[in-house]
Amino acid sequence: MKIFGLIGKKLDHSFSPQYFRKKFINENIKDADYQLFPLNQLEDFRLLLQDNPEIAGLNVTIPYKTDIIPWLDELSPAARAIGAVNTIKFKFLTNGLQLSGYNTDYLGFAESLKPHLKAWHTKALILGTGGSSKAVIYALKQMKLDCQMVSREPKNKDHLDYSMLSGDLIADYKVIINTTPVGMYPDVEQKPRIDYSSLTQQHILFDLIYNPGKTNFLLEGEKRGCRIINGLEMLKIQADYSWKIWND
Protein backbone atom coordinates (compact mmCIF):
# COMPACT_ATOMS: atom_id res chain seq x y z
CA MET A 1 0.00 0.00 0.00
CA LYS A 2 1.37 3.38 -1.02
CA ILE A 3 0.64 6.20 1.40
CA PHE A 4 0.28 9.80 0.27
CA GLY A 5 -0.57 12.63 2.61
CA LEU A 6 -0.50 16.20 3.82
CA ILE A 7 1.88 17.82 6.30
CA GLY A 8 1.11 21.07 8.08
CA LYS A 9 0.40 22.35 11.55
CA LYS A 10 -3.40 22.35 11.87
CA LEU A 11 -5.09 20.01 9.41
CA ASP A 12 -8.63 19.55 10.78
CA HIS A 13 -9.98 21.82 8.03
CA SER A 14 -8.52 19.80 5.14
CA PHE A 15 -10.69 18.17 2.49
CA SER A 16 -7.68 16.54 0.81
CA PRO A 17 -8.21 13.02 2.25
CA GLN A 18 -11.85 13.00 1.10
CA TYR A 19 -10.87 14.22 -2.36
CA PHE A 20 -8.12 11.69 -2.89
CA ARG A 21 -10.05 8.75 -1.44
CA LYS A 22 -12.96 9.55 -3.76
CA LYS A 23 -10.49 9.77 -6.63
CA PHE A 24 -9.04 6.37 -5.71
CA ILE A 25 -12.53 4.81 -5.73
CA ASN A 26 -13.57 6.46 -9.00
CA GLU A 27 -10.34 5.45 -10.76
CA ASN A 28 -10.23 1.96 -9.20
CA ILE A 29 -6.90 2.66 -7.48
CA LYS A 30 -6.68 0.02 -4.76
CA ASP A 31 -3.08 0.25 -3.61
CA ALA A 32 -3.09 3.84 -2.29
CA ASP A 33 -4.35 5.84 0.66
CA TYR A 34 -4.14 9.53 1.64
CA GLN A 35 -3.60 10.58 5.25
CA LEU A 36 -3.08 13.70 7.36
CA PHE A 37 0.26 14.12 9.12
CA PRO A 38 0.10 17.14 11.47
CA LEU A 39 3.53 18.36 12.57
CA ASN A 40 3.82 20.69 15.55
CA GLN A 41 7.30 21.59 14.35
CA LEU A 42 9.08 20.97 11.07
CA GLU A 43 11.90 19.24 12.92
CA ASP A 44 9.51 16.27 13.22
CA PHE A 45 9.60 15.80 9.42
CA ARG A 46 12.54 13.38 9.35
CA LEU A 47 11.00 11.34 12.17
CA LEU A 48 7.76 11.15 10.17
CA LEU A 49 9.66 9.67 7.22
CA GLN A 50 11.50 7.19 9.43
CA ASP A 51 8.29 5.99 11.08
CA ASN A 52 6.32 5.78 7.82
CA PRO A 53 8.53 4.17 5.12
CA GLU A 54 5.43 3.49 3.02
CA ILE A 55 4.95 7.22 2.30
CA ALA A 56 5.29 7.78 -1.46
CA GLY A 57 4.46 11.47 -1.78
CA LEU A 58 3.36 14.45 0.29
CA ASN A 59 1.52 17.73 0.02
CA VAL A 60 2.57 20.67 2.21
CA THR A 61 0.34 23.34 3.72
CA ILE A 62 0.44 26.21 6.26
CA PRO A 63 2.88 27.12 7.72
CA TYR A 64 5.61 24.99 6.11
CA LYS A 65 5.45 25.75 2.37
CA THR A 66 8.57 27.91 2.53
CA ASP A 67 10.32 26.41 5.54
CA ILE A 68 10.28 22.90 4.04
CA ILE A 69 12.68 23.90 1.24
CA PRO A 70 15.97 23.33 3.15
CA TRP A 71 14.80 19.80 3.93
CA LEU A 72 14.55 18.90 0.24
CA ASP A 73 17.20 17.68 -2.18
CA GLU A 74 16.04 19.58 -5.27
CA LEU A 75 13.37 21.96 -6.52
CA SER A 76 11.46 22.22 -9.79
CA PRO A 77 12.09 25.45 -11.72
CA ALA A 78 8.63 26.79 -10.77
CA ALA A 79 9.05 25.96 -7.07
CA ARG A 80 12.46 27.65 -7.07
CA ALA A 81 11.06 30.77 -8.76
CA ILE A 82 8.07 30.90 -6.42
CA GLY A 83 10.03 30.15 -3.26
CA ALA A 84 7.41 27.79 -1.89
CA VAL A 85 6.60 24.08 -2.14
CA ASN A 86 3.26 22.33 -1.76
CA THR A 87 4.16 18.96 -3.33
CA ILE A 88 7.03 16.62 -2.49
CA LYS A 89 7.97 13.82 -4.87
CA PHE A 90 9.71 10.78 -3.38
CA LYS A 91 12.39 9.15 -5.54
CA PHE A 92 13.67 5.85 -4.19
CA LEU A 93 17.20 5.61 -5.59
CA THR A 94 19.92 3.03 -5.01
CA ASN A 95 21.78 5.46 -2.77
CA GLY A 96 18.72 6.43 -0.73
CA LEU A 97 15.61 8.58 -0.74
CA GLN A 98 15.62 11.79 -2.78
CA LEU A 99 12.99 14.46 -2.06
CA SER A 100 12.01 16.86 -4.83
CA GLY A 101 9.90 19.96 -4.24
CA TYR A 102 7.22 21.20 -6.65
CA ASN A 103 4.53 23.86 -6.60
CA THR A 104 1.11 23.00 -8.03
CA ASP A 105 -0.71 25.77 -6.13
CA TYR A 106 0.01 28.31 -8.85
CA LEU A 107 -1.49 26.00 -11.48
CA GLY A 108 -4.64 25.42 -9.43
CA PHE A 109 -5.03 29.12 -8.72
CA ALA A 110 -4.47 30.21 -12.32
CA GLU A 111 -6.89 27.70 -13.78
CA SER A 112 -9.54 28.65 -11.20
CA LEU A 113 -9.22 32.40 -11.79
CA LYS A 114 -8.68 32.68 -15.56
CA PRO A 115 -12.27 31.96 -16.70
CA HIS A 116 -13.56 34.88 -14.59
CA LEU A 117 -11.16 37.61 -15.74
CA LYS A 118 -12.52 40.53 -17.77
CA ALA A 119 -10.78 43.43 -19.50
CA TRP A 120 -10.95 45.61 -16.37
CA HIS A 121 -9.21 43.01 -14.19
CA THR A 122 -5.69 44.41 -14.52
CA LYS A 123 -4.66 44.89 -10.87
CA ALA A 124 -4.70 42.44 -7.99
CA LEU A 125 -4.45 42.96 -4.24
CA ILE A 126 -2.97 40.00 -2.40
CA LEU A 127 -3.81 39.74 1.29
CA GLY A 128 -1.01 37.91 3.09
CA THR A 129 2.66 37.22 2.37
CA GLY A 130 3.02 33.53 3.27
CA GLY A 131 3.86 30.55 1.08
CA SER A 132 0.48 30.50 -0.66
CA SER A 133 0.78 34.16 -1.62
CA LYS A 134 4.05 33.43 -3.43
CA ALA A 135 2.30 30.97 -5.75
CA VAL A 136 -0.55 33.42 -6.30
CA ILE A 137 1.82 36.23 -7.29
CA TYR A 138 3.73 33.95 -9.65
CA ALA A 139 0.45 33.02 -11.39
CA LEU A 140 -0.84 36.60 -11.52
CA LYS A 141 2.37 37.86 -13.09
CA GLN A 142 2.14 35.16 -15.72
CA MET A 143 -1.37 36.49 -16.45
CA LYS A 144 0.05 40.04 -16.71
CA LEU A 145 -1.81 41.48 -13.70
CA ASP A 146 -0.17 44.17 -11.57
CA CYS A 147 0.19 42.93 -8.00
CA GLN A 148 0.20 44.64 -4.62
CA MET A 149 0.84 42.66 -1.45
CA VAL A 150 -0.65 43.46 1.96
CA SER A 151 0.72 42.30 5.31
CA ARG A 152 -0.11 42.79 8.98
CA GLU A 153 3.59 43.37 9.58
CA PRO A 154 5.22 44.56 6.35
CA LYS A 155 8.87 43.54 6.13
CA ASN A 156 9.24 44.72 2.55
CA LYS A 157 9.04 48.40 1.60
CA ASP A 158 6.79 47.46 -1.32
CA HIS A 159 4.20 45.80 0.92
CA LEU A 160 1.24 47.70 2.35
CA ASP A 161 -0.14 47.59 5.87
CA TYR A 162 -3.88 47.00 6.20
CA SER A 163 -4.24 50.54 7.59
CA MET A 164 -3.10 51.85 4.18
CA LEU A 165 -6.00 50.27 2.29
CA SER A 166 -8.15 53.30 1.49
CA GLY A 167 -11.53 53.01 -0.15
CA ASP A 168 -10.07 54.42 -3.38
CA LEU A 169 -7.37 51.76 -3.42
CA ILE A 170 -9.89 48.96 -2.85
CA ALA A 171 -12.03 50.37 -5.68
CA ASP A 172 -8.99 50.47 -7.97
CA TYR A 173 -7.89 46.87 -7.43
CA LYS A 174 -10.63 44.81 -9.03
CA VAL A 175 -9.15 41.44 -8.03
CA ILE A 176 -8.65 40.81 -4.31
CA ILE A 177 -7.22 37.50 -3.10
CA ASN A 178 -7.14 36.31 0.49
CA THR A 179 -4.15 34.00 0.96
CA THR A 180 -4.26 34.12 4.77
CA PRO A 181 -6.03 31.62 7.07
CA VAL A 182 -8.27 34.42 8.41
CA GLY A 183 -11.84 33.13 8.33
CA MET A 184 -10.91 29.46 8.03
CA TYR A 185 -12.67 26.82 10.13
CA PRO A 186 -13.03 26.90 13.09
CA ASP A 187 -12.54 30.70 13.31
CA VAL A 188 -15.26 31.36 10.74
CA GLU A 189 -16.38 34.72 12.17
CA GLN A 190 -13.15 36.45 11.21
CA LYS A 191 -12.45 38.33 7.98
CA PRO A 192 -9.61 40.46 6.57
CA ARG A 193 -9.72 44.11 7.63
CA ILE A 194 -10.48 45.93 4.37
CA ASP A 195 -13.06 48.54 3.31
CA TYR A 196 -15.80 46.29 1.94
CA SER A 197 -18.06 49.27 1.22
CA SER A 198 -15.81 50.16 -1.74
CA LEU A 199 -16.40 46.86 -3.54
CA THR A 200 -18.35 46.88 -6.80
CA GLN A 201 -19.91 44.38 -9.19
CA GLN A 202 -16.70 44.54 -11.22
CA HIS A 203 -14.67 43.05 -8.37
CA ILE A 204 -13.52 39.46 -8.04
CA LEU A 205 -12.96 38.20 -4.50
CA PHE A 206 -10.96 34.97 -4.38
CA ASP A 207 -10.43 33.20 -1.05
CA LEU A 208 -7.96 30.32 -0.98
CA ILE A 209 -9.96 28.98 1.95
CA TYR A 210 -12.58 26.34 1.08
CA ASN A 211 -13.79 25.44 4.57
CA PRO A 212 -16.24 27.11 5.04
CA GLY A 213 -17.37 27.33 1.42
CA LYS A 214 -18.27 30.99 1.86
CA THR A 215 -16.06 32.84 4.32
CA ASN A 216 -17.15 36.21 5.71
CA PHE A 217 -14.71 37.74 3.24
CA LEU A 218 -16.64 36.19 0.36
CA LEU A 219 -20.02 36.93 1.90
CA GLU A 220 -19.15 40.63 2.09
CA GLY A 221 -18.33 40.53 -1.61
CA GLU A 222 -21.48 38.60 -2.45
CA LYS A 223 -23.61 41.27 -0.75
CA ARG A 224 -22.17 43.83 -3.16
CA GLY A 225 -22.52 41.78 -6.34
CA CYS A 226 -18.87 40.74 -6.65
CA ARG A 227 -17.81 37.55 -8.37
CA ILE A 228 -16.74 35.29 -5.49
CA ILE A 229 -14.50 32.21 -5.75
CA ASN A 230 -13.39 29.91 -2.94
CA GLY A 231 -10.38 27.61 -2.96
CA LEU A 232 -12.13 24.28 -3.56
CA GLU A 233 -11.57 24.11 -7.33
CA MET A 234 -7.99 25.24 -6.79
CA LEU A 235 -7.57 22.39 -4.28
CA LYS A 236 -8.86 19.82 -6.76
CA ILE A 237 -6.73 21.08 -9.66
CA GLN A 238 -3.51 21.27 -7.65
CA ALA A 239 -4.24 17.84 -6.16
CA ASP A 240 -4.55 16.29 -9.63
CA TYR A 241 -1.25 17.91 -10.66
CA SER A 242 0.34 16.52 -7.47
CA TRP A 243 -0.92 13.04 -8.31
CA LYS A 244 0.68 13.25 -11.78
CA ILE A 245 3.98 14.34 -10.25
CA TRP A 246 3.98 11.51 -7.70
CA ASN A 247 3.27 8.91 -10.39
CA ASP A 248 5.41 10.27 -13.22
Side-chain angles (χ1 to χ4, degrees):
M1 177 73 71
K2 293 181 180 179
I3 302 298
F4 303 89
L6 175 68
I7 62 170
K9 202 156 194 177
K10 296 180 180 179
L11 303 178
D12 293 344
H13 69 283
S14 178
F15 287 175
S16 292
Q18 296 96 307
Y19 179 74
F20 274 104
R21 287 168 186 169
K22 185 176 180 180
K23 177 183 180 71
F24 297 156
I25 292 171
N26 291 341
E27 299 181 17
N28 198 31
I29 299 169
K30 298 180 179 180
D31 62 343
D33 192 18
Y34 192 97
Q35 300 177 13
L36 299 178
F37 298 106
L39 301 178
N40 287 327
Q41 55 186 9
L42 198 49
E43 286 71 19
D44 296 333
F45 178 62
R46 289 296 180 192
L47 183 61
L48 170 71
L49 300 185
Q50 292 172 16
D51 291 346
N52 298 273
E54 68 277 20
I55 292 178
L58 290 171
N59 288 128
V60 185
T61 191
I62 296 171
Y64 300 137
K65 291 186 180 185
T66 299
D67 293 344
I68 192 66
I69 290 176
W71 297 79
L72 306 178
D73 299 302
E74 62 179 12
L75 297 178
S76 71
R80 186 175 300 281
I82 292 167
V85 164
N86 79 307
T87 301
I88 303 174
K89 180 179 177 67
F90 285 49
K91 297 179 182 178
F92 298 94
L93 307 176
T94 54
N95 60 342
L97 176 62
Q98 183 181 75
L99 301 177
S100 303
Y102 293 78
N103 193 298
T104 64
D105 277 338
Y106 85 95
L107 296 167
F109 173 76
E111 292 185 22
S112 296
L113 178 63
K114 273 182 181 178
H116 306 284
L117 292 176
K118 304 297 183 184
W120 53 84
H121 293 129
T122 60
K123 301 172 74 173
L125 200 63
I126 301 98
L127 309 180
T129 55
S132 296
S133 73
K134 297 177 188 297
V136 165
I137 286 194
Y138 185 79
L140 290 169
K141 288 183 176 179
Q142 287 190 329
M143 291 186 278
K144 309 301 183 185
L145 272 72
D146 292 334
C147 301
Q148 176 61 64
M149 299 187 74
V150 184
S151 174
R152 289 180 301 173
E153 299 177 357
K155 297 176 182 177
N156 185 311
K157 61 181 178 61
D158 296 325
H159 295 176
L160 298 180
D161 183 273
Y162 281 87
S163 63
M164 302 175 182
L165 302 183
S166 65
D168 287 343
L169 188 144
I170 294 295
D172 192 32
Y173 282 79
K174 295 294 193 297
V175 180
I176 305 177
I177 304 108
N178 178 38
T179 72
T180 78
V182 174
M184 184 170 67
Y185 177 86
D187 300 318
V188 297
E189 298 303 317
Q190 298 184 29
K191 61 187 176 186
R193 294 179 291 105
I194 67 171
D195 181 6
Y196 293 97
S197 66
S198 297
L199 297 174
T200 69
Q201 293 182 3
Q202 289 190 331
H203 276 82
I204 294 175
L205 264 60
F206 194 124
D207 202 327
L208 269 58
I209 294 169
Y210 53 82
N211 185 10
K214 289 183 182 179
T215 58
N216 275 344
F217 171 70
L218 294 183
L219 288 172
E220 291 288 352
E222 187 175 52
K223 289 177 190 175
R224 294 163 175 86
C226 304
R227 168 73 67 179
I228 63 170
I229 309 168
N230 70 16
L232 187 57
E233 184 181 17
M234 175 180 169
L235 168 75
K236 294 176 180 178
I237 295 169
Q238 68 82 22
D240 286 340
Y241 276 110
S242 292
W243 181 249
K244 291 177 183 177
I245 289 169
W246 293 329
N247 292 280
D248 183 12

